Amino acid sequence: MLTAELNIRLFNLRSFLANVDYSKSINVPEFDVEMEESPRAVAKKVRLHWQLTRGPVKNLTRLLERAGVIVGVSDFGGAQISGVMFRPPSAPPIMLYNPKHPADRVRFTLAHELGHLVMHRFPTSSMESEANEFASEFMMPSDEMRQIFRGRKLTVQYLAALKKEWRMSMQSLLMSARNVGAVDDNKSRYLFSEFSKRGWRTREPAELDFPNDEPVVLSDIIKIHLNDLGYTFDELLGMTKLYKEEFESLYGRMDGGDLPTMPRLRIIN
């Protein structure tokens, strides 16, 4: 089912981009992870390549869209999937995330998929752990985490405060603290047991939730067809070979509102 959805989206994307030029403002670098020191080293190089400032990545979705990645949402038919990445030939990479999952999990998932995009041309037995290591370093740089945790007593309350700032799960932040040597195994096990007792291993407190960073490029491409190119909604359905309900499940409802200024989108004459 997922493969079918990706194929439909790719077919539609190629049709959309036949009329609209989507020009990326930055590029996704490629590194051979076998030739690098580690996935963490690759993540540092990507942050440097994109000239990211110190501190949290504020809007990862927008950053990916600037790099030419088409980001969309999918409920994956109710499956417990957080996200996927598809790198089709002769088309931009496509990343889908599950909007029903907490935003901290989505952000880690998108960073994980970015790791695949940067490091992996072919599947390997270690690629998932490498993508996790990349995501952790990219979203929570170890040199900054080391400074943040230095001299601080690590508590659930402190992790909750960091979650609000870094927009990553408390569990990811705790693992980062362990990775940089800011907490020993005993304290780490104690805090994870606290998460378990409170039911936070699967769902952290709702009061710490924050909204997902919604993608904008794909919906703007569709709105260009409706607002600037003169397509009717029925003609758009005909172009995509979808029924109205199918179209809205993949791309959302088109309200026909004014198109925001998006300098990276250009109509092809």
Side-chain angles (χ1 to χ4, degrees):
M1 183 181 67
L2 178 56
T3 301
E5 179 179 340
L6 289 171
N7 284 329
I8 290 169
R9 286 179 179 271
L10 177 58
F11 168 76
N12 293 164
L13 180 61
R14 284 177 170 153
S15 299
F16 294 148
L17 293 182
N19 301 318
V20 176
D21 179 31
Y22 171 35
S23 300
K24 59 189 178 182
S25 56
I26 57 177
N27 69 299
V28 177
E30 294 184 1
F31 293 98
D32 184 348
V33 68
E34 298 297 329
M35 302 295 292
E36 300 293 332
E37 181 181 344
S38 67
R40 293 187 181 278
V42 174
K44 290 178 181 178
K45 288 186 175 183
V46 175
R47 285 186 66 106
L48 184 64
H49 177 82
W50 282 347
Q51 299 181 342
L52 299 185
T53 58
R54 291 175 63 83
V57 177
K58 290 183 170 57
N59 191 325
L60 179 56
T61 299
R62 203 71 70 250
L63 185 61
L64 291 168
E65 289 183 319
R66 288 181 56 213
V69 178
I70 299 295
V71 183
V73 299
S74 174
D75 66 1
F76 302 109
Q80 287 302 306
I81 298 173
S82 287
V84 297
M85 187 271 292
F86 184 42
R87 189 191 345 234
S90 66
I94 300 170
M95 283 189 195
L96 303 178
Y97 71 83
N98 193 331
K100 296 181 179 179
H101 287 188
D104 52 23
R105 181 174 176 182
V106 167
R107 277 165 58 83
F108 191 90
T109 296
L110 291 176
H112 174 102
E113 299 303 337
L114 173 62
H116 286 316
L117 192 58
V118 169
M119 299 186 295
H120 300 131
R121 307 278 79 75
F122 305 100
T124 68
S125 60
S126 58
M127 63 187 295
E128 294 305 317
S129 61
E130 289 171 350
N132 281 338
E133 186 177 333
F134 173 96
S136 179
E137 182 66 30
F138 186 81
M139 300 303 287
M140 299 166 289
S142 54
D143 58 337
E144 295 185 54
M145 293 294 105
R146 199 171 285 111
Q147 291 181 21
I148 286 170
F149 290 121
R150 182 177 294 133
R152 294 298 301 257
K153 182 180 179 182
L154 204 57
T155 64
V156 169
Q157 291 75 18
Y158 185 50
L159 291 171
L162 289 177
K163 176 173 181 171
K164 289 183 178 181
E165 178 184 359
W166 285 83
R167 304 176 78 225
M168 299 300 293
S169 72
M170 289 187 287
Q171 293 173 83
S172 294
L173 288 160
L174 175 54
M175 291 180 69
S176 178
R178 188 170 62 184
N179 289 337
V180 300
V183 62
D184 60 28
D185 289 342
N186 287 336
K187 185 59 180 288
S188 175
R189 280 194 295 269
Y190 166 75
L191 288 170
F192 274 120
S193 70
E194 282 295 302
F195 292 151
S196 295
K197 280 192 272 186
R198 303 180 191 204
W200 294 353
R201 291 301 294 268
T202 54
R203 184 68 170 87
E204 294 187 359
E207 59 268 24
L208 297 177
D209 285 352
F210 51 88
N212 277 308
D213 299 318
E214 295 184 1
V216 298
V217 166
L218 188 54
S219 62
D220 286 348
I221 289 173
I222 294 170
K223 287 177 182 178
I224 281 181
H225 283 78
L226 294 170
N227 295 354
D228 290 21
L229 295 175
Y231 279 73
T232 66
F233 187 63
D234 286 341
E235 287 172 336
L236 207 58
L237 292 179
M239 183 174 74
T240 58
K241 313 296 184 187
L242 296 171
Y243 293 110
K244 179 176 182 290
E245 295 76 12
E246 294 172 326
F247 184 97
E248 291 182 345
S249 72
L250 294 179
Y251 305 116
R253 298 183 63 179
M254 297 292 114
D255 58 11
D258 292 336
L259 181 71
T261 301
M262 295 291 291
R264 60 180 172 277
L265 302 179
R266 183 172 60 87
I267 297 172
I268 296 177
N269 296 321

